[in-house]
Amino acid sequence: MAGARVRLAVLGVLALALAALPFLADKFYVQLATKILILAIFAMSLDLLVGYTGLVSLGHAAFFGFAGYLLALVSPQYEAANLWTSLAIALAGSAVLALVIGALVLRTSGIYFIMVTLAFGEMLFHLFHDTSIAGGSDGIYVYVRPVGTIFGWQPFDFEDFTHFYLVVLVAALGVYALLRMVLASPFGRVIVGIRVNEHRMRSLGYHTFRYKLVCFVLAGTLAGLAGYLAAVQFGVVNPDMLGFHVSASALMMLILGGMGTLVGPAIGAAVMMTLELLFQKITDHWLLPMGVFIVLVALLLPRGLVGLVTGARAKDDSRG
Amino acid sequence: MAEAAARETVLRTEALSRRFGGLAAVDNVALECRMGEVHAVIGPNGAGKTTLINLLSGDLPPSAGRVFLRDREITGLRSDAISRLGVGRSYQKTNVFLPFTAFENARVAAQSRLPSSMRFFRSARTYRQVNEAAERALVQAGLEGREGIPVSALSHGEQRQVEIAMTLATGPSTLLLDEPLAGMGAEESARIVELLQKLVAGHAILLVEHDMDAVFAVADVLTVMVNGAVLASGPPEAIRSNPEVQEAYLGTEEAH
């Protein structure tokens, strides 16, 4: 378990460095880092499905956007929503949505699974885009950020970008720790077994559908957490948040960083956001160099960017 | 025979059939597996032996007929449900978790015997009974000292042993073994034959195997299948001298 200790040490140093960021960098970079951390949560939640369970979903943004909408819908127009109740509603909502969608899509597998997840994502997109439920195609604003008081004490103020950044950092580290714990548990061993050989898992006595469904709900709920935080940060929720683009770019982050590693997708989120910014400075056609970069990584680094560091040892947490 | 008659029937089929289009892969098969016995099923390639095991293990639903486990009908149950009732199977074509270590293969198999694996907090490595069952199965299959090696790096014969270790790690009372010796070296084969002779005391074993020396070394009952149907069934000596069987199958075997 020397690998785990090294991982913990690296992560500790990284966490400290990230915690120090607001005291070293100006607002722009702190907000960029906030965005990256939120996307890292989203990408890690997708990695649980794609990298560990082998379920390639193209509809993961549905849970991200839905949770954002729930915050916008439960927020009073000119007052702050209660953080705890609105967060609980957003998480429960995305969990229920994942349960319903998962119960249907998990009856398929392989390419069909990809297609039906895409279809459900698009259905949700059009539900919010084509109707006036929440501002239609314009989306809906969250004018005032939610406030989280504990018995009258307010530990942080989301209107302060440093506070919000630190809360998001804690959330991202918490999600990472949670997923590490789950992956090491009997449940985690089952889902990895399903990715490698679902047929054998069944003949060993595992009702694999149930495990996949629980996994889908967990991933959807964590995507909901990311979507909630994104809605808080940007103060606006629109149908694009649920759409194919967001799902696909999360998948891109996994490919860039290295799927089935948790850290990889988080790195993928950081690299993608940073490059997007750089390329945008250079050219209006920034998607072009971005595409070239992703193709190069996919061709040259089949294990993603983390493969550069871990090399042949990559994927070692799926070995047991 | 008198002794055999007293043994408890564990697994039983009635007129079991499976058709693939116009082909009757398994045709009206009735057989019994008793506790403490090895029931070997032999027959030429394409006789339906593997399909028969697939019907018993729930990997395939039968087209007709019934399967009973003790007094309970298990016809058409899914493979995970049948596994949980204590029927373990091994595969002819090695069906393991290649990226995992030998130990993790057996550990995941043993973990399936927890009442549920919906456990999210404690590390899977800390379940002592699961670890012990996995280790025991690996030793039984002759893999001590090889636990930490990814199965993809093991030899073909050792992968076959992992296959058997996984089946044993689930602690089944009935074993369905589909050509366990295929691809094994002489030494490993001898070891598995010895293991079967030991295991038979507490298990009902259905064995599909092409290695006739092994079959006659362990079988208490022998069933010969040809074209999906049972040609003959009975004690090994009676089958060996059955002229029909000799013509259809064993004759070629004794030629060399």
Side-chain angles (χ1 to χ4, degrees), chain A residues 15-35 37-38 145 155-171 229 232-233:
Chain A
L16 284 177
L18 286 172
L21 182 82
F23 308 102
L24 304 170
D26 61 25
K27 185 174 176 182
F28 174 79
Y29 290 103
V30 174
Q31 287 182 332
L32 174 66
T34 307
K35 189 178 169 191
L37 286 170
I38 290 171
R145 296 196 166 88
F156 39 71
D157 176 7
F158 280 177
E159 300 297 338
D160 178 325
F161 68 92
T162 301
H163 283 198
F164 183 60
Y165 167 78
L166 290 172
V167 168
V168 170
L169 176 61
V170 168
L229 293 171
V232 173
Q233 182 175 20

Side-chain angles (χ1 to χ4, degrees), chain A residues 264-285:
Chain A
I267 291 172
V271 170
M272 234 167 106
M273 286 304 107
T274 312
L275 285 182
E276 192 177 304
L277 212 68
L278 282 178
F279 291 145
Q280 272 171 348
K281 274 192 181 154
I282 301 168
T283 165
D284 282 343
H285 307 287

